[in-house]
Amino acid sequence: MAEVLVKKLHKAFPDGTVAVEELNLEIKDGELFVMLGPSGCGKTTTLRCIAGLEEETSGEIRIGDEVVSGLRPSQRDIAMVFQFYALYPHLSVKENMAFPLRAANRPESEVEERVAEAARMLQLEPYLTRRPSKLSGGEQQRVALGRAMVRHPKAFLMDEPLTNLDAELRADMRAEVKHLQQRLGATMVYVTHDQTEAMALGDRIAIMNKGNLEQLGAPMEVYNRPASLFAARFIGSPPMNLIDAEVTNGHLTAAGDLKIKAPEGLTRGQKVIAGVRPEGLTVSDGGEGVRGRVVSKEALGDETIYVVDCEAGLFHVRMPATARFEEEQVVAVRHVGAAPPAYDPTSEKVVSAP
Ligand code: ADP
Ligand code: MG
């Protein structure tokens, strides 16, 4: 496998739409790299430029040691996987996997060898003569991956491959992708708009916004220290509480006198937006904290998410299931745990993070 470098990538379409502004990415050899962002932020265009399905307006793309600008898709040695379940139903597993090689007129001996190799690596040997419909979802996914593998690609590019599946199957398939990627040591660029999927899969996550890179980091980094309000809003479910606050005596203080532990390096009187995760707040019957009214609760089994209406806004609070508060109940909300990141209200960028 190989590393993939994207340098100053810019893509404007003939109608004037700028899909990618200026993008720099260094995807490491063997990395599962996730591109995450809302619809229209330029994920697919970036992937298509890497694959050679779209010509960049300017910038450079390197795959391994090779600058690929100007090379056709078939000359780039990469595999683009669209949807995992899009197999040819009338062909056997073996013929599905052989398909790209046959289409490229490879000699029969090579077809046999490559298919056997992929089948062995993906543990598909027992299923080679079956039709895809006789396989489980996970097995079908492995066949799709096998079909992509037979050409010995330098990298896999995946554009929202699990989008049309139901939630349960998606979670299973996600685990399988991660497992296979690790076992194969494959370089994988995986595009999704689903932050849960990105968090579960990525070695690193690139958060995209309007054709630009908003933040790049390991999942826990982007979760704990979103670099901007955009990233803060995008990662995490329920979303981060973004609370207007002012730096007072060693605290961030919000409306209703909610006290939040302050991160380092802020000055007294400074106005910031504190980014507090739902697990950074707690609800109690009374006592210390700001008063608020429970407007809704969602029981998730081991925990319950409360939405509490306080003077400083609507807060999402994550509590263990043992907590029992009712809708309409007046409660006290308090900040607990580490200091949250703080954002500048004007630039919307992080100014201090723990
Ligand atoms: P994503 O995959 O993140 O949803 P896309 O890369 O598909 O985003 O699209 C980025 C932007 O480029 C969008 O505004 C989209 O409408 C526009 N776009 C994509 N393809 C074309 C095209 N062929 N011609 C004009 N605009 C396009
Ligand atoms: Mg897309």
Side-chain angles (χ1 to χ4, degrees):
M1 291 274 163
E3 61 178 1
V4 177
L5 295 181
V6 173
K7 234 162 104 183
K8 293 196 172 171
L9 177 68
H10 178 79
K11 174 66 186 178
F13 285 104
D15 68 356
T17 306
V18 175
V20 182
E21 196 91 40
E22 183 181 297
L23 188 63
N24 293 294
L25 300 173
E26 292 185 17
I27 297 144
K28 297 175 198 159
D29 189 358
E31 179 173 39
L32 207 176
F33 188 91
V34 173
M35 288 176 61
L36 171 70
S39 176
C41 71
K43 306 181 297 295
T44 293
T45 303
T46 303
L47 221 55
R48 288 174 60 82
C49 286
I50 296 173
L53 297 168
E54 207 73 73
E55 194 186 344
E56 62 272 20
T57 309
S58 60
E60 186 179 286
I61 293 168
R62 269 178 37 199
I63 299 172
D65 301 329
E66 196 173 18
V67 175
V68 295
S69 313
L71 289 187
R72 287 150 28 118
S74 60
Q75 299 170 310
R76 296 189 180 202
D77 296 336
I78 48 113
M80 185 106 174
V81 180
F82 294 96
Q83 286 164 340
F84 278 133
Y85 42 88
L87 298 170
Y88 302 109
H90 58 290
L91 296 181
S92 67
V93 166
K94 182 175 172 184
E95 285 311 310
N96 263 284
M97 292 205 284
F99 194 87
L101 296 172
R102 296 215 195 281
N105 287 316
R106 305 309 301 164
E108 190 54 33
S109 59
E110 182 184 321
V111 175
E112 289 290 329
E113 192 183 310
R114 295 279 180 95
V115 170
E117 176 195 46
R120 181 164 33 79
M121 291 179 81
L122 297 167
Q123 294 166 335
L124 284 169
E125 283 155 323
Y127 313 118
L128 284 172
T129 56
R130 287 199 208 169
R131 295 283 168 91
S133 59
K134 300 279 187 287
L135 300 178
S136 73
E139 287 155 1
Q140 288 186 37
Q141 184 183 16
R142 266 146 57 199
V143 177
L145 213 52
R147 193 172 57 184
M149 270 172 63
V150 292
R151 303 191 67 181
H152 288 182
K154 290 180 179 156
F156 291 102
L157 307 180
M158 309 207 167
D159 195 356
E160 316 223 17
L162 305 180
T163 303
N164 293 335
L165 303 180
D166 66 55
E168 194 183 343
L169 189 54
R170 216 152 92 185
D172 286 353
M173 298 282 241
R174 195 158 77 200
E176 179 98 349
V177 173
K178 179 100 185 165
H179 173 70
L180 286 172
Q181 182 271 339
Q182 286 172 340
R183 230 162 45 96
L184 301 173
T187 307
M188 215 177 249
V189 187
Y190 189 105
V191 160
T192 180
H193 66 273
D194 178 343
Q195 61 91 25
T196 315
E197 198 164 291
M199 291 289 292
L201 274 178
D203 291 323
R204 287 189 301 161
I205 299 174
I207 303 176
M208 305 262 302
N209 181 15
K210 295 187 185 142
N212 289 296
L213 182 64
E214 185 82 14
Q215 183 172 13
L216 176 66
M220 284 325 283
E221 252 169 83
V222 298
Y223 186 81
N224 289 325
R225 290 184 295 280
S228 62
L229 291 182
F230 178 86
R233 288 191 188 102
F234 208 76
I235 297 269
S237 173
M240 199 174 223
N241 296 293
L242 298 172
I243 307 170
D244 289 319
E246 186 172 334
V247 183
T248 55
N249 269 342
H251 276 102
L252 303 176
T253 304
D257 213 29
L258 175 68
K259 295 250 182 295
I260 301 164
K261 195 166 174 184
E264 306 274 308
L266 301 177
T267 51
R268 203 185 158 125
Q270 189 175 350
K271 290 197 169 28
V272 295
I273 296 171
V276 184
R277 290 282 174 206
E279 52 273 27
L281 294 176
T282 188
V283 174
S284 58
D285 239 336
E288 203 190 322
V290 291
R291 300 295 130 181
R293 186 175 53 88
V294 175
V295 292
S296 72
K297 60 186 273 191
E298 187 185 6
L300 300 176
D302 55 339
E303 55 187 29
T304 305
I305 306 296
Y306 291 93
V307 180
V308 185
D309 188 2
C310 296
E311 199 181 325
L314 276 185
F315 294 153
H316 285 88
V317 185
R318 193 190 297 276
M319 296 289 289
T322 47
R324 298 203 179 258
F325 301 98
E326 297 308 323
E327 283 173 23
E328 295 303 320
Q329 190 175 342
V330 173
V331 293
V333 177
R334 222 160 17 95
H335 175 240
V336 288
Y343 300 88
D344 181 82
T346 311
S347 72
E348 305 204 342
K349 301 291 177 200
V350 71
V351 284
S352 176

